[in-house]
Amino acid sequence: MSARTKARKRAIDILYVADVRQITIAQSLATEAERAASEPNRAASWLYAREIVDGVVDHRDEIDELIETYSQGWTLARMPIIDRAILRIGIWEILFNDAVPHAVAIDEAVEAAKVLSTDDSAGFVNGLLGRIAQTAPSA
């Protein structure tokens, strides 16, 4: 598993924990930062995970609006928490990280959904991110 894939998983964990525990993303990030400090062998994945989470926080309103717009009848509150986290990361990578090609961001999100979420989630994530990527400038 690449360092970036591991970083995405860490970012998903941070966003998921914040939602489940009903704490701020900053609190969840701080807890993970403490853990990361004690695990120097995971430093490579930590830096990108933090970049992802900071980016999601910085653009959360826009990201959530896109999820609501493109999810066709699904509200954020109705989605599985893990799907929200995966979608937020995928959208951030598509729209705000020029270093990640759209296809890679979508593939990584779909794989995460296959492993971490429901049987229907991978298709849902693929469709929603694909529609958003069509409207985004090419990476």
Side-chain angles (χ1 to χ4, degrees), residues 12-62:
I12 290 168
D13 291 345
I14 291 165
L15 296 176
Y16 179 82
V17 165
D19 247 356
V20 168
R21 292 187 180 164
Q22 298 182 343
I23 60 175
T24 66
I25 294 172
Q27 289 171 306
S28 183
L29 186 61
T31 300
E32 183 64 17
E34 285 179 33
R35 195 170 117 198
S38 67
E39 299 173 345
N41 57 328
R42 296 175 64 195
S45 68
W46 167 244
L47 294 176
Y48 188 56
R50 182 165 194 131
E51 181 182 347
I52 292 168
V53 173
D54 287 342
V56 168
V57 168
D58 291 346
H59 300 282
R60 185 164 176 181
D61 290 341
E62 182 178 354

Side-chain angles (χ1 to χ4, degrees), residues 47-82:
L47 294 176
Y48 188 56
R50 182 165 194 131
E51 181 182 347
I52 292 168
V53 173
D54 287 342
V56 168
V57 168
D58 291 346
H59 300 282
R60 185 164 176 181
D61 290 341
E62 182 178 354
I63 290 168
D64 285 356
E65 183 177 323
L66 286 167
I67 293 171
E68 292 271 357
T69 299
Y70 287 93
S71 62
Q72 299 180 344
W74 282 80
T75 64
L76 279 169
R78 195 170 156 224
M79 287 177 199
I81 293 170
I82 197 75

Side-chain angles (χ1 to χ4, degrees), residues 1 5 9 24 34 44 52-53 85 91 109 121 123 128 133:
M1 184 181 302
T5 299
K9 172 66 172 82
T24 66
E34 285 179 33
I52 292 168
V53 173
I91 292 169
S121 291
L128 193 147

